[in-house]
C-alpha cells in the first residue's frame, strides 16, 4: 500500500484526534513509522498529545489513567551487549504471561560506562552504539510479548541522560539532528521524566519516576513527602513501605530493585562491597482505580525468580 501524503499540520491534528494505531491505518504506514514521525515533529513543535496520552500539565510528566488492570515496572536494566540478566529474562516472561496494560522502564535501561564522568578501568566496556543495539533487541522482545494496545513508557534515569548530556555539552549546535537524542533510537516507547498514574484518585494516585530521596528510608520518605504512592528505582534495594495516616487510604513507597544482576561487571565501582541490593521488579495492580498492595518479583538464583510464594524458572 502506498502511503498517503500528510502534511505536518495534518499529522499533528490526526495524531491528537485518533492516536497512533488509527493514524497508521489511515495514512497507510506502520505504527512504528507514525511514532518515529511524531518524535521528529516534537523536536520542532514540542509534545504532541493523543487520546490515550493527554498533553501533560507539567513538562516531562506523562499522565496515565488505569481503573482496572496491571502495570509492570522495572528499573536499572543496565543492559550490556551479549549478556542477559536473570531478571531481564523474567521481565520478558512476565510481560508475556501477565499481559499488563502498561509496561514502564523506570530509568537506567542502559549503563553507558564509556561516557561516564567516573574514571574508566582497564576492563573493556561497550561503546554506546553497542549498548543501543543490544537494548533495541531486548526491548523488541518486550514489545512482541506485550498484548496489543499495551502502553510502553520509558522514564529517564541518570544513566540514560548521559547519552544526550555528552553530545549537548560538546556539540550544542547538533540539537536538532536526528540520532543525538536517545529516544530517536526507541521511537515506539513513550518518553517522560515521570509517569503519574491516576492523578487525583483517592488510594490510586501513583507517581513513577527513576529517583528522588536517598538513603535507607528513601521509600518511606518518598511517599511521605509526595503525598501519593511513589515507585522508584536507582537505589537497587527493592522493598515496599506502606504508609498510613489520617487519610482514608494507605499509600506505598516502592523501590523496584534492579533488573540487572547485582554481580554484573557494570558495578565494579562498588569494589566488591557487600551490597544491600536485590535484583527484581514490581507489579502494580489497580482495582476500581485504587492501588492494591504492590507485589515484587525477586531473583532466586541464576535460573529462577520468586513470586507469590512460588519459584519460577526463567
Amino acid at each position: 500500500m502506498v502511503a498517503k501524503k500528510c502534511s505536518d499540520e495534518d499529522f499533528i491534528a490526526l495524531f491528537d484526534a485518533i492516536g497512533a494505531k488509527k493514524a497508521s491505518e489511515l495514512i497507510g504506514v506502520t505504527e512504528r513509522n507514525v511514532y518515529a514521525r511524531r518524535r521528529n515533529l516534537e523536536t520542532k513543535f514540542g509534545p504532541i498529545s493523543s487520546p490515550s496520552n493527554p498533553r501533560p500539565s507539567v513538562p516531562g510528566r506523562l499522565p496515565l489513567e488505569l481503573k482496572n488492570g496491571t502495570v509492570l515496572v522495572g528499573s536499572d536494566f543496565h543492559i550490556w551487549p551479549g549478556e542477559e540478566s536473570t531478571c531481564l529474562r523474567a521481565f520478558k516472561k512476565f510481560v508475556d504471561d501477565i499481559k499488563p496494560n502498561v509496561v514502564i522502564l523506570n530509568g537506567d535501561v542502559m549503563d553507558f560506562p564509556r561516557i561516564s564522568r567516573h574514571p574508566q578501568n582497564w576492563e573493556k566496556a561497550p561503546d554506546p552504539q553497542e549498548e543501543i543495539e543490544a537494548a533495541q533487541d531486548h526491548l523488541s522482545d518486550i514489545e512482541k510479548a506485550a498484548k496489543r494496545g499495551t502502553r510502553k513508557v520509558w522514564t529517564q534515569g541518570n544513566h540514560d541522560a548521559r547519552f544526550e548530556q555528552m553530545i549537548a555539552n560538546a556539540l550544542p549546535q547538533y540539537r536538532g539532528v536526528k540520532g543525538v537524542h536517545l529516544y530517536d533510537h526507541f521511537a515506539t516507547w513513550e518518553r517522560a521524566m515521570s509517569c503519574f498514574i491516576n492523578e487525583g484518585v483517592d488510594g490510586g494516585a501513583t507517581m513513577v519516576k527513576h529517583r528522588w530521596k536517598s538513603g535507607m528510608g528513601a521509600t518511606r520518605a518518598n511517599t511521605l513527602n509526595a503525598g501519593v504512592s511513589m515507585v522508584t528505582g536507582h537505589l537497587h534495594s527493592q522493598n515496599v513501605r506502606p504508609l498510613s495516616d489520617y487519610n482514608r487510604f494507605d499509600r506505598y513507597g516502592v523501590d523496584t530493585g534492579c533488573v540487572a544482576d547485582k554481580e554484573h561487571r557494570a558495578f565494579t565501582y562498588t569494589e566488591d562491597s557487600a551490597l544491600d541490593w536485590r535484583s527484581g521488579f514490581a507489579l502494580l495492580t489497580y482495582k476500581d482505580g485504587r492501588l492494591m498492595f504492590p507485589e515484587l518479583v525477586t531473583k532466586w538464583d541464576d535460573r529462577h525468580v520468586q513470586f507469590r510464594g512460588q519459584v519460577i524458572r526463567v
Side-chain angles (χ1 to χ4, degrees):
M1 179 177 180
V2 179
K4 300 176 184 178
K5 290 184 178 180
C6 184
S7 69
D8 290 346
E9 292 77 12
D10 289 343
F11 177 87
I12 292 171
L14 196 65
F15 194 98
D16 190 64
I18 63 176
K21 182 178 182 298
K22 292 182 179 178
S24 69
E25 295 171 352
L26 188 62
I27 300 172
V29 298
T30 66
E31 192 172 344
R32 179 182 290 270
N33 285 338
V34 168
Y35 277 115
R37 184 172 181 184
R38 172 196 176 194
R39 179 73 184 93
N40 290 336
L41 291 177
E42 284 184 326
T43 63
K44 301 178 183 178
F45 305 114
I48 299 172
S49 64
S50 72
S52 60
N53 176 24
R55 193 176 302 279
S57 58
V58 177
R61 179 188 296 176
L62 178 68
L64 191 150
E65 295 179 4
L66 182 62
K67 186 174 182 180
N68 294 290
T70 55
V71 181
L72 198 66
V73 186
S75 181
D76 299 88
F77 292 71
H78 294 278
I79 292 173
W80 278 30
E83 301 176 17
E84 186 176 37
S85 70
T86 302
C87 285
L88 179 51
R89 293 195 303 272
F91 194 82
K92 295 177 185 179
K93 176 177 173 57
F94 272 66
V95 172
D96 193 28
D97 291 350
I98 294 176
K99 303 295 185 186
N101 301 82
V102 185
V103 176
I104 300 180
L105 313 179
N106 197 20
D108 289 0
V109 173
M110 284 161 285
D111 193 62
F112 292 132
R114 296 294 297 274
I115 52 178
S116 168
R117 59 184 172 83
H118 299 294
Q120 298 290 308
N121 57 31
W122 288 103
E123 184 179 8
K124 185 182 185 306
D127 290 325
Q129 180 62 28
E130 295 175 306
E131 291 181 86
I132 287 172
E133 290 174 354
Q136 287 172 331
D137 288 342
H138 291 303
L139 268 56
S140 177
D141 291 341
I142 293 171
E143 293 170 20
K144 291 174 184 176
K147 68 180 180 182
R148 189 167 186 171
T150 295
R151 295 285 294 274
K152 300 180 291 295
V153 179
W154 182 340
T155 51
Q156 181 172 277
N158 52 298
H159 281 255
D160 301 325
R162 289 176 176 178
F163 183 80
E164 292 180 29
Q165 284 173 350
M166 171 162 280
I167 298 173
N169 290 336
L171 299 165
Q173 64 272 29
Y174 275 49
R175 177 182 176 183
V177 177
K178 183 173 176 59
V180 301
H181 300 282
L182 180 61
Y183 298 105
D184 289 341
H185 307 275
F186 302 92
T188 57
W189 290 80
E190 299 179 73
R191 75 204 188 286
M193 288 302 301
S194 64
C195 180
F196 208 160
I197 304 170
N198 293 345
E199 182 175 2
V201 178
D202 289 341
T206 310
M207 170 58 78
V208 182
K209 68 192 302 289
H210 181 64
R211 60 178 178 173
W212 191 18
K213 304 294 183 179
S214 59
M216 293 181 62
T219 47
R220 183 181 188 278
N222 282 338
T223 190
L224 179 66
N225 286 273
V228 297
S229 293
M230 189 156 187
V231 182
T232 58
H234 188 63
L235 299 180
H236 302 184
S237 62
Q238 200 189 53
N239 61 86
V240 177
R241 180 65 164 85
L243 181 66
S244 301
D245 52 26
Y246 285 113
N247 291 310
R248 182 181 175 190
F249 299 105
D250 288 345
R251 59 186 188 269
Y252 306 94
V254 183
D255 180 333
T256 62
C258 57
V259 173
D261 291 321
K262 70 177 187 178
E263 303 85 8
H264 191 272
R265 289 179 292 153
F267 305 130
T268 54
Y269 64 85
T270 62
E271 300 179 355
D272 196 27
S273 299
L275 302 175
D276 187 19
W277 296 359
R278 272 149 293 280
S279 296
F281 46 92
L283 178 67
L284 311 180
T285 303
Y286 292 86
K287 176 68 174 176
D288 296 327
R290 181 179 170 185
L291 176 62
M292 303 181 77
F293 201 103
E295 299 176 280
L296 300 177
V297 181
T298 309
K299 180 179 176 180
W300 179 259
D301 59 29
D302 287 343
R303 296 302 310 179
H304 301 83
V305 293
Q306 54 181 311
F307 178 66
R308 294 180 180 171
Q310 296 185 341
V311 175
I312 303 169
R313 185 174 178 85
V314 295

